[in-house]
Amino acid sequence: MEKSLDKLMEDLMKTPGINGVLCSDEQGLCLGAKGVAVGQPAGVISRMAHQAEQIHPDSGTSPVIVVESEVGNVLIKNHDGITLAIFKSPV
């Protein structure tokens, strides 16, 4: 799994506008980080994704959280026990 996760993160980093990727498990343990995501609080990001699922618990899918700021956006989503955060440059 480590090699496939690392490959996924490398592929995402090649996408124009993406300058960081972070993956964490259900407990918030960082499974990997690239670019500006290195050193970001994986536990906080994972917890945000879990909390957002409580807004519509019967939806059957995990929501995508978008955190916007002047320095860029962070897209966060939970899927199959893995939280993915994609850091994007400002448009």
Side-chain angles (χ1 to χ4, degrees):
M1 180 174 132
E2 287 179 34
K3 287 184 180 184
S4 61
L5 184 61
D6 195 51
K7 170 111 173 70
L8 170 72
M9 290 190 301
E10 287 292 335
D11 290 346
L12 284 170
M13 288 297 294
K14 293 176 185 172
T15 306
I18 293 179
N19 58 4
V21 179
L22 182 141
C23 293
S24 64
D25 69 5
E26 291 178 332
Q27 285 75 41
L29 177 67
C30 183
L31 301 174
K34 303 279 184 194
V36 299
V38 173
Q40 294 295 322
V44 172
I45 291 170
S46 180
R47 194 72 208 141
M48 286 174 63
H50 289 302
Q51 290 295 320
E53 289 175 345
Q54 302 307 309
I55 295 171
H56 296 289
D58 299 327
S59 72
T61 61
S62 176
V64 175
I65 302 165
V66 180
V67 179
E68 297 180 345
S69 73
E70 292 176 0
V71 296
N73 297 340
V74 183
L75 288 79
I76 303 168
K77 181 162 176 68
N78 230 0
H79 183 71
D80 289 339
I82 303 291
T83 301
L84 174 67
I86 298 175
F87 293 74
K88 297 183 76 177
S89 304
V91 180

